[in-house]
Each structure stands twice: as C-alpha cells, then as structure tokens.
Amino acid sequence: MRDLGAGFHYLLKGQRWVARHGKQYGFGLIPGLITLVLYVAALVALATWGEDFVSWATPFADDWSSPWQGLFRGFLTVVLFALALLLAVLTFTAVTLLIGQPFYENLSEKVDRDVSPDGTAPESGLPLWRELWISARDSLRIVVRAVLWAVLLFALGFVPVVGQTLIPVIGFFVTGFFLTEELTAVALQRRGVDLRARLTLLRSRKTLIWGFGTPLALAFVVPFVAVFLMPGAVAGATLMARELLGEETRDGEDESEGSDESDESDDETVSGGLGT
C-alpha cells in the first residue's frame, strides 16, 4: 500500500515540476495536441462511415429480415467504435511519445539535471534517428501486448456480474502498467535499459507502477486531459525511473531560481534536436 501512495506522489511531483518550468510545459503540450487532432479525426471518420463499413463487411446479413439485420449491424458498429476508442486510449501515449521524442527527451533530461546531485543527466549517445527507431519498435511491441490484453478483457466483459464489476477495474490496472512503461521508457532508454529489462524492472515494483499509472489511465480516458497531463507524466516518470534504478535524487522542489535561463537553453536544444 505504501508503494501505491508513492507512485501517485511521483505523478503529482511531475505535474508540480512542469508547473514550475513553464516553457518546458509549453513544448511538452505540442506532441499531445498533434496526436489528439489525428485521433479525433480518425474517430469522427469511424463514426461517420463505421456503419457503412460494417454493412460491407457482413454481406451475409443482406437478406436478413427486420429487425434482426439492423440490430446485428448496429451492435457490430457499437463494438467497432468501442474497440477503436479503447485502442485510442491504449495507444495515445505511445503515439504521442513517438511524435514528441525530441520534446520529451529534452524534458526528461532537464528533470534529471534538476534533481541529480551533480547536475548531470545520462545520455544515450545515439543519433536521433536511432532513438526514434528503438522507440517505435518498442512501442509497437507494447501496443501489441496491450491490444491482446484489451481483446481478452473485452471478451471477459460479457461474463455476467464479473464482467461489469471486476473486469473494468483490472482493465485500468493493466492500462496503467502499460502507460507507465511507455512513459518511463523515455528516461530508461537514455540509460541503455532495453524493453525486456524495463518490463522486468517494472514488474518488480508493481504496486508503485499501479499507483502512478492507474490514476493516469483513468484521467487519460478523457483525451483533452491526457494532452495537458502528458508533460507532467513524463517528468514524474523520470523521477520514478531514478528510484527504480536506485539513483540518488536531491529534492528539486525549491530549485525554481534560474529556471527561465535553463528553459531558454533547452529551447535551443530542442530546436537543434528537431533539425537533426
């Protein structure tokens, strides 16, 4: 239970950190806004043409009598949209992190420098294209795992009583775990920790991970909330990654002096990274 509270505390600390570093927060909003626009457009298109797609995909029901044809295809349309919405929630973080790799790398490094006793941050030493490739590859692997869990839980949702009570709760815990993996990957990948080692590390502290990720998963159900929480979530995940690796961390709560100057230098770093 203590780890659950500690995980939630890291989520709050991350939000407080970006609140004290306004420019970093502003840069961190850009990828989430881009992803939100793309996802909303896709969901609107699905809502508009989803029924036509279901009709095309079920030609065997063309000769069914009313009302069975309408009920069957209407049910499939609702299921299709529900699955698309669930997939959007599960993949929002992965896609946003991929789009915003230079932004979030810069933000995570700034957090590391801010709380590191010697003021330094680990660096991967890899070129940007290589980091993007590793991030995309690992994100795809995580998304596949998450989708398999989503399909399983969706099917179990039809089990009477359990499906309407216990399964949704389990679903949020599973989603919270995968969200946390994606977010901590920003800091852990810079430290050379590969996907298998990251999963092992996170599983060793499941309650800490759930304390961080499950409230975030609940909040991420609302896409607009996800956009505004993403920068702080990356910052909090970086702080938590340091604890998972046993790295010494000094309290950076009162280190706001001079943050404007450091933010200006970070702007140049981000610009340079985008132009690489």
Side-chain angles (χ1 to χ4, degrees), residues 1 4 22 34 51 58 60 72 88 102 114 124 204-205 224 241 255 269:
M1 291 300 294
L4 280 174
I34 294 173
E51 187 173 354
T58 56
F60 57 86
F72 175 70
D114 193 39
S124 67
S204 69
R205 298 285 298 278
F224 286 105
E255 301 297 324
T269 303

mmCIF file with all atom_site columns, all heavy atoms in Angstrom, residues 1 4 22 34 51 58 60 72 88 102 114 124 204-205 224 241 255 269:
data_model
loop_
_atom_site.group_PDB
_atom_site.id
_atom_site.type_symbol
_atom_site.label_atom_id
_atom_site.label_alt_id
_atom_site.label_comp_id
_atom_site.label_asym_id
_atom_site.label_entity_id
_atom_site.label_seq_id
_atom_site.pdbx_PDB_ins_code
_atom_site.Cartn_x
_atom_site.Cartn_y
_atom_site.Cartn_z
_atom_site.occupancy
_atom_site.B_iso_or_equiv
_atom_site.pdbx_formal_charge
_atom_site.auth_seq_id
_atom_site.auth_comp_id
_atom_site.auth_asym_id
_atom_site.auth_atom_id
_atom_site.pdbx_PDB_model_num
ATOM 1   N N   . MET A 1 1   ? 0.821   -1.206  0.000   1.00 0.00 ? 1   MET A N   1
ATOM 2   C CA  . MET A 1 1   ? 0.000   0.000   0.000   1.00 0.00 ? 1   MET A CA  1
ATOM 3   C C   . MET A 1 1   ? 0.858   1.260   0.000   1.00 0.00 ? 1   MET A C   1
ATOM 4   O O   . MET A 1 1   ? 0.499   2.266   -0.581  1.00 0.00 ? 1   MET A O   1
ATOM 5   C CB  . MET A 1 1   ? -0.922  -0.006  1.223   1.00 0.00 ? 1   MET A CB  1
ATOM 6   C CG  . MET A 1 1   ? -1.997  -1.062  1.171   1.00 0.00 ? 1   MET A CG  1
ATOM 7   S SD  . MET A 1 1   ? -3.081  -0.871  -0.266  1.00 0.00 ? 1   MET A SD  1
ATOM 8   C CE  . MET A 1 1   ? -3.873  0.687   0.115   1.00 0.00 ? 1   MET A CE  1
ATOM 9   N N   . LEU A 1 4   ? 1.809   2.149   -3.498  1.00 0.00 ? 4   LEU A N   1
ATOM 10  C CA  . LEU A 1 4   ? 0.714   2.759   -4.249  1.00 0.00 ? 4   LEU A CA  1
ATOM 11  C C   . LEU A 1 4   ? 0.705   4.267   -4.036  1.00 0.00 ? 4   LEU A C   1
ATOM 12  O O   . LEU A 1 4   ? 0.600   5.053   -4.989  1.00 0.00 ? 4   LEU A O   1
ATOM 13  C CB  . LEU A 1 4   ? -0.633  2.166   -3.822  1.00 0.00 ? 4   LEU A CB  1
ATOM 14  C CG  . LEU A 1 4   ? -1.031  0.807   -4.402  1.00 0.00 ? 4   LEU A CG  1
ATOM 15  C CD1 . LEU A 1 4   ? -2.320  0.322   -3.759  1.00 0.00 ? 4   LEU A CD1 1
ATOM 16  C CD2 . LEU A 1 4   ? -1.196  0.891   -5.919  1.00 0.00 ? 4   LEU A CD2 1
ATOM 17  N N   . GLY A 1 22  ? 7.555   26.632  -16.979 1.00 0.00 ? 22  GLY A N   1
ATOM 18  C CA  . GLY A 1 22  ? 6.504   26.926  -17.946 1.00 0.00 ? 22  GLY A CA  1
ATOM 19  C C   . GLY A 1 22  ? 6.862   26.632  -19.394 1.00 0.00 ? 22  GLY A C   1
ATOM 20  O O   . GLY A 1 22  ? 6.038   26.106  -20.151 1.00 0.00 ? 22  GLY A O   1
ATOM 21  N N   . ILE A 1 34  ? -1.020  17.450  -31.338 1.00 0.00 ? 34  ILE A N   1
ATOM 22  C CA  . ILE A 1 34  ? -0.961  16.866  -32.677 1.00 0.00 ? 34  ILE A CA  1
ATOM 23  C C   . ILE A 1 34  ? -1.633  15.488  -32.686 1.00 0.00 ? 34  ILE A C   1
ATOM 24  O O   . ILE A 1 34  ? -2.451  15.180  -33.568 1.00 0.00 ? 34  ILE A O   1
ATOM 25  C CB  . ILE A 1 34  ? 0.503   16.744  -33.158 1.00 0.00 ? 34  ILE A CB  1
ATOM 26  C CG1 . ILE A 1 34  ? 1.112   18.138  -33.339 1.00 0.00 ? 34  ILE A CG1 1
ATOM 27  C CG2 . ILE A 1 34  ? 0.579   15.961  -34.465 1.00 0.00 ? 34  ILE A CG2 1
ATOM 28  C CD1 . ILE A 1 34  ? 2.600   18.114  -33.637 1.00 0.00 ? 34  ILE A CD1 1
ATOM 29  N N   . GLU A 1 51  ? -20.825 2.484   -39.921 1.00 0.00 ? 51  GLU A N   1
ATOM 30  C CA  . GLU A 1 51  ? -21.980 1.655   -40.267 1.00 0.00 ? 51  GLU A CA  1
ATOM 31  C C   . GLU A 1 51  ? -21.861 1.124   -41.689 1.00 0.00 ? 51  GLU A C   1
ATOM 32  O O   . GLU A 1 51  ? -22.191 -0.044  -41.958 1.00 0.00 ? 51  GLU A O   1
ATOM 33  C CB  . GLU A 1 51  ? -23.265 2.470   -40.109 1.00 0.00 ? 51  GLU A CB  1
ATOM 34  C CG  . GLU A 1 51  ? -24.527 1.649   -40.272 1.00 0.00 ? 51  GLU A CG  1
ATOM 35  C CD  . GLU A 1 51  ? -25.780 2.445   -39.953 1.00 0.00 ? 51  GLU A CD  1
ATOM 36  O OE1 . GLU A 1 51  ? -25.652 3.595   -39.502 1.00 0.00 ? 51  GLU A OE1 1
ATOM 37  O OE2 . GLU A 1 51  ? -26.889 1.902   -40.164 1.00 0.00 ? 51  GLU A OE2 1
ATOM 38  N N   . THR A 1 58  ? -20.292 -7.439  -43.740 1.00 0.00 ? 58  THR A N   1
ATOM 39  C CA  . THR A 1 58  ? -21.249 -8.504  -43.388 1.00 0.00 ? 58  THR A CA  1
ATOM 40  C C   . THR A 1 58  ? -22.269 -8.709  -44.514 1.00 0.00 ? 58  THR A C   1
ATOM 41  O O   . THR A 1 58  ? -23.479 -8.537  -44.293 1.00 0.00 ? 58  THR A O   1
ATOM 42  C CB  . THR A 1 58  ? -21.977 -8.162  -42.078 1.00 0.00 ? 58  THR A CB  1
ATOM 43  O OG1 . THR A 1 58  ? -22.621 -6.870  -42.220 1.00 0.00 ? 58  THR A OG1 1
ATOM 44  C CG2 . THR A 1 58  ? -21.009 -8.110  -40.911 1.00 0.00 ? 58  THR A CG2 1
ATOM 45  N N   . PHE A 1 60  ? -23.341 -11.352 -45.694 1.00 0.00 ? 60  PHE A N   1
ATOM 46  C CA  . PHE A 1 60  ? -24.213 -12.487 -45.403 1.00 0.00 ? 60  PHE A CA  1
ATOM 47  C C   . PHE A 1 60  ? -25.500 -12.067 -44.708 1.00 0.00 ? 60  PHE A C   1
ATOM 48  O O   . PHE A 1 60  ? -26.481 -12.833 -44.667 1.00 0.00 ? 60  PHE A O   1
ATOM 49  C CB  . PHE A 1 60  ? -23.478 -13.511 -44.531 1.00 0.00 ? 60  PHE A CB  1
ATOM 50  C CG  . PHE A 1 60  ? -22.952 -12.940 -43.235 1.00 0.00 ? 60  PHE A CG  1
ATOM 51  C CD1 . PHE A 1 60  ? -23.757 -12.869 -42.108 1.00 0.00 ? 60  PHE A CD1 1
ATOM 52  C CD2 . PHE A 1 60  ? -21.640 -12.477 -43.155 1.00 0.00 ? 60  PHE A CD2 1
ATOM 53  C CE1 . PHE A 1 60  ? -23.276 -12.354 -40.921 1.00 0.00 ? 60  PHE A CE1 1
ATOM 54  C CE2 . PHE A 1 60  ? -21.145 -11.959 -41.958 1.00 0.00 ? 60  PHE A CE2 1
ATOM 55  C CZ  . PHE A 1 60  ? -21.959 -11.892 -40.842 1.00 0.00 ? 60  PHE A CZ  1
ATOM 56  N N   . PHE A 1 72  ? -28.231 -6.528  -35.507 1.00 0.00 ? 72  PHE A N   1
ATOM 57  C CA  . PHE A 1 72  ? -26.925 -7.173  -35.626 1.00 0.00 ? 72  PHE A CA  1
ATOM 58  C C   . PHE A 1 72  ? -25.862 -6.178  -36.070 1.00 0.00 ? 72  PHE A C   1
ATOM 59  O O   . PHE A 1 72  ? -24.785 -6.067  -35.452 1.00 0.00 ? 72  PHE A O   1
ATOM 60  C CB  . PHE A 1 72  ? -27.024 -8.335  -36.618 1.00 0.00 ? 72  PHE A CB  1
ATOM 61  C CG  . PHE A 1 72  ? -25.711 -9.007  -36.912 1.00 0.00 ? 72  PHE A CG  1
ATOM 62  C CD1 . PHE A 1 72  ? -25.082 -9.775  -35.942 1.00 0.00 ? 72  PHE A CD1 1
ATOM 63  C CD2 . PHE A 1 72  ? -25.110 -8.863  -38.157 1.00 0.00 ? 72  PHE A CD2 1
ATOM 64  C CE1 . PHE A 1 72  ? -23.868 -10.401 -36.210 1.00 0.00 ? 72  PHE A CE1 1
ATOM 65  C CE2 . PHE A 1 72  ? -23.895 -9.479  -38.428 1.00 0.00 ? 72  PHE A CE2 1
ATOM 66  C CZ  . PHE A 1 72  ? -23.277 -10.249 -37.456 1.00 0.00 ? 72  PHE A CZ  1
ATOM 67  N N   . ALA A 1 88  ? -7.534  3.687   -28.930 1.00 0.00 ? 88  ALA A N   1
ATOM 68  C CA  . ALA A 1 88  ? -7.034  5.060   -28.894 1.00 0.00 ? 88  ALA A CA  1
ATOM 69  C C   . ALA A 1 88  ? -6.455  5.393   -27.520 1.00 0.00 ? 88  ALA A C   1
ATOM 70  O O   . ALA A 1 88  ? -5.395  6.017   -27.407 1.00 0.00 ? 88  ALA A O   1
ATOM 71  C CB  . ALA A 1 88  ? -8.152  6.035   -29.252 1.00 0.00 ? 88  ALA A CB  1
ATOM 72  N N   . PRO A 1 102 ? 11.814  14.239  -29.538 1.00 0.00 ? 102 PRO A N   1
ATOM 73  C CA  . PRO A 1 102 ? 12.798  15.279  -29.177 1.00 0.00 ? 102 PRO A CA  1
ATOM 74  C C   . PRO A 1 102 ? 12.333  16.150  -28.013 1.00 0.00 ? 102 PRO A C   1
ATOM 75  O O   . PRO A 1 102 ? 13.140  16.547  -27.168 1.00 0.00 ? 102 PRO A O   1
ATOM 76  C CB  . PRO A 1 102 ? 12.922  16.104  -30.466 1.00 0.00 ? 102 PRO A CB  1
ATOM 77  C CG  . PRO A 1 102 ? 12.412  15.220  -31.550 1.00 0.00 ? 102 PRO A CG  1
ATOM 78  C CD  . PRO A 1 102 ? 11.348  14.390  -30.924 1.00 0.00 ? 102 PRO A CD  1
ATOM 79  N N   . ASP A 1 114 ? 17.967  18.583  -13.048 1.00 0.00 ? 114 ASP A N   1
ATOM 80  C CA  . ASP A 1 114 ? 17.417  19.378  -11.954 1.00 0.00 ? 114 ASP A CA  1
ATOM 81  C C   . ASP A 1 114 ? 17.520  18.652  -10.616 1.00 0.00 ? 114 ASP A C   1
ATOM 82  O O   . ASP A 1 114 ? 17.721  19.290  -9.571  1.00 0.00 ? 114 ASP A O   1
ATOM 83  C CB  . ASP A 1 114 ? 15.955  19.714  -12.255 1.00 0.00 ? 114 ASP A CB  1
ATOM 84  C CG  . ASP A 1 114 ? 15.400  20.787  -11.342 1.00 0.00 ? 114 ASP A CG  1
ATOM 85  O OD1 . ASP A 1 114 ? 16.131  21.745  -11.030 1.00 0.00 ? 114 ASP A OD1 1
ATOM 86  O OD2 . ASP A 1 114 ? 14.232  20.660  -10.931 1.00 0.00 ? 114 ASP A OD2 1
ATOM 87  N N   . SER A 1 124 ? 22.179  8.808   -24.083 1.00 0.00 ? 124 SER A N   1
ATOM 88  C CA  . SER A 1 124 ? 22.289  7.538   -24.807 1.00 0.00 ? 124 SER A CA  1
ATOM 89  C C   . SER A 1 124 ? 23.473  7.529   -25.761 1.00 0.00 ? 124 SER A C   1
ATOM 90  O O   . SER A 1 124 ? 24.037  6.469   -26.049 1.00 0.00 ? 124 SER A O   1
ATOM 91  C CB  . SER A 1 124 ? 21.002  7.272   -25.594 1.00 0.00 ? 124 SER A CB  1
ATOM 92  O OG  . SER A 1 124 ? 20.840  8.223   -26.634 1.00 0.00 ? 124 SER A OG  1
ATOM 93  N N   . SER A 1 204 ? 8.926   -5.756  -10.897 1.00 0.00 ? 204 SER A N   1
ATOM 94  C CA  . SER A 1 204 ? 9.464   -5.924  -9.551  1.00 0.00 ? 204 SER A CA  1
ATOM 95  C C   . SER A 1 204 ? 8.853   -4.948  -8.556  1.00 0.00 ? 204 SER A C   1
ATOM 96  O O   . SER A 1 204 ? 8.963   -5.139  -7.353  1.00 0.00 ? 204 SER A O   1
ATOM 97  C CB  . SER A 1 204 ? 10.993  -5.747  -9.574  1.00 0.00 ? 204 SER A CB  1
ATOM 98  O OG  . SER A 1 204 ? 11.349  -4.399  -9.836  1.00 0.00 ? 204 SER A OG  1
ATOM 99  N N   . ARG A 1 205 ? 8.201   -3.879  -9.086  1.00 0.00 ? 205 ARG A N   1
ATOM 100 C CA  . ARG A 1 205 ? 7.564   -2.880  -8.209  1.00 0.00 ? 205 ARG A CA  1
ATOM 101 C C   . ARG A 1 205 ? 6.155   -2.589  -8.726  1.00 0.00 ? 205 ARG A C   1
ATOM 102 O O   . ARG A 1 205 ? 5.795   -1.438  -8.977  1.00 0.00 ? 205 ARG A O   1
ATOM 103 C CB  . ARG A 1 205 ? 8.400   -1.591  -8.182  1.00 0.00 ? 205 ARG A CB  1
ATOM 104 C CG  . ARG A 1 205 ? 9.807   -1.735  -7.635  1.00 0.00 ? 205 ARG A CG  1
ATOM 105 C CD  . ARG A 1 205 ? 9.841   -1.881  -6.132  1.00 0.00 ? 205 ARG A CD  1
ATOM 106 N NE  . ARG A 1 205 ? 9.299   -0.715  -5.464  1.00 0.00 ? 205 ARG A NE  1
ATOM 107 C CZ  . ARG A 1 205 ? 9.988   0.409   -5.234  1.00 0.00 ? 205 ARG A CZ  1
ATOM 108 N NH1 . ARG A 1 205 ? 11.247  0.514   -5.643  1.00 0.00 ? 205 ARG A NH1 1
ATOM 109 N NH2 . ARG A 1 205 ? 9.450   1.414   -4.583  1.00 0.00 ? 205 ARG A NH2 1
ATOM 110 N N   . PHE A 1 224 ? -8.608  15.245  -23.860 1.00 0.00 ? 224 PHE A N   1
ATOM 111 C CA  . PHE A 1 224 ? -8.131  16.589  -23.578 1.00 0.00 ? 224 PHE A CA  1
ATOM 112 C C   . PHE A 1 224 ? -7.306  16.610  -22.295 1.00 0.00 ? 224 PHE A C   1
ATOM 113 O O   . PHE A 1 224 ? -6.294  17.309  -22.204 1.00 0.00 ? 224 PHE A O   1
ATOM 114 C CB  . PHE A 1 224 ? -9.305  17.570  -23.458 1.00 0.00 ? 224 PHE A CB  1
ATOM 115 C CG  . PHE A 1 224 ? -9.933  17.921  -24.780 1.00 0.00 ? 224 PHE A CG  1
ATOM 116 C CD1 . PHE A 1 224 ? -11.155 17.387  -25.148 1.00 0.00 ? 224 PHE A CD1 1
ATOM 117 C CD2 . PHE A 1 224 ? -9.282  18.765  -25.662 1.00 0.00 ? 224 PHE A CD2 1
ATOM 118 C CE1 . PHE A 1 224 ? -11.720 17.695  -26.368 1.00 0.00 ? 224 PHE A CE1 1
ATOM 119 C CE2 . PHE A 1 224 ? -9.837  19.088  -26.879 1.00 0.00 ? 224 PHE A CE2 1
ATOM 120 C CZ  . PHE A 1 224 ? -11.067 18.555  -27.248 1.00 0.00 ? 224 PHE A CZ  1
ATOM 121 N N   . ALA A 1 241 ? 11.710  6.640   -12.429 1.00 0.00 ? 241 ALA A N   1
ATOM 122 C CA  . ALA A 1 241 ? 12.744  5.786   -13.024 1.00 0.00 ? 241 ALA A CA  1
ATOM 123 C C   . ALA A 1 241 ? 14.033  5.858   -12.222 1.00 0.00 ? 241 ALA A C   1
ATOM 124 O O   . ALA A 1 241 ? 14.737  4.849   -12.063 1.00 0.00 ? 241 ALA A O   1
ATOM 125 C CB  . ALA A 1 241 ? 12.996  6.198   -14.477 1.00 0.00 ? 241 ALA A CB  1
ATOM 126 N N   . GLU A 1 255 ? 14.123  24.440  -6.488  1.00 0.00 ? 255 GLU A N   1
ATOM 127 C CA  . GLU A 1 255 ? 15.156  24.810  -7.432  1.00 0.00 ? 255 GLU A CA  1
ATOM 128 C C   . GLU A 1 255 ? 14.603  25.625  -8.595  1.00 0.00 ? 255 GLU A C   1
ATOM 129 O O   . GLU A 1 255 ? 15.015  25.486  -9.721  1.00 0.00 ? 255 GLU A O   1
ATOM 130 C CB  . GLU A 1 255 ? 15.840  23.545  -7.977  1.00 0.00 ? 255 GLU A CB  1
ATOM 131 C CG  . GLU A 1 255 ? 16.472  22.706  -6.904  1.00 0.00 ? 255 GLU A CG  1
ATOM 132 C CD  . GLU A 1 255 ? 17.581  23.432  -6.199  1.00 0.00 ? 255 GLU A CD  1
ATOM 133 O OE1 . GLU A 1 255 ? 18.303  24.191  -6.851  1.00 0.00 ? 255 GLU A OE1 1
ATOM 134 O OE2 . GLU A 1 255 ? 17.727  23.250  -4.982  1.00 0.00 ? 255 GLU A OE2 1
ATOM 135 N N   . THR A 1 269 ? 18.230  23.529  -27.412 1.00 0.00 ? 269 THR A N   1
ATOM 136 C CA  . THR A 1 269 ? 18.489  22.105  -27.535 1.00 0.00 ? 269 THR A CA  1
ATOM 137 C C   . THR A 1 269 ? 17.399  21.413  -28.322 1.00 0.00 ? 269 THR A C   1
ATOM 138 O O   . THR A 1 269 ? 17.663  20.579  -29.198 1.00 0.00 ? 269 THR A O   1
ATOM 139 C CB  . THR A 1 269 ? 18.595  21.457  -26.138 1.00 0.00 ? 269 THR A CB  1
ATOM 140 O OG1 . THR A 1 269 ? 19.611  22.132  -25.410 1.00 0.00 ? 269 THR A OG1 1
ATOM 141 C CG2 . THR A 1 269 ? 18.931  19.976  -26.257 1.00 0.00 ? 269 THR A CG2 1
#
